[in-house]
Amino acid sequence: PSDAALRTLVDNASDIEPMEMPSVEVPPGEWGRGEWVPKDFGPDGEPGRVEPGEPGRPTVPPGS
């Protein structure tokens, strides 16, 4: 963007409305089954021991 466009954005930042964010909805009757089973997510390795680029196989998020 041009300097003028950035200046306009900065000058009017308090007037900019938030964008609508997507929501996540669980299909009726699906919670706790299939992809909707609650899971604990955590680090893929020991704290302080994961090297850049590790692990070779990252955890796949549900629904991917």
Side-chain angles (χ1 to χ4, degrees):
S2 68
D3 288 344
L6 288 175
R7 175 55 48 201
T8 300
L9 182 62
V10 170
D11 290 343
N12 297 299
S14 62
D15 299 329
I16 298 173
E17 295 287 325
M19 295 179 62
E20 287 188 31
M21 297 298 292
S23 64
V24 175
E25 294 182 21
V26 177
E30 295 279 332
W31 179 252
R33 296 184 300 181
E35 294 180 4
W36 300 102
V37 176
K39 297 180 182 177
D40 288 330
F41 290 94
D44 291 328
E46 294 179 35
R49 298 236 180 228
V50 179
E51 297 296 323
E54 292 287 331
R57 284 182 36 213
T59 304
V60 179
S64 295

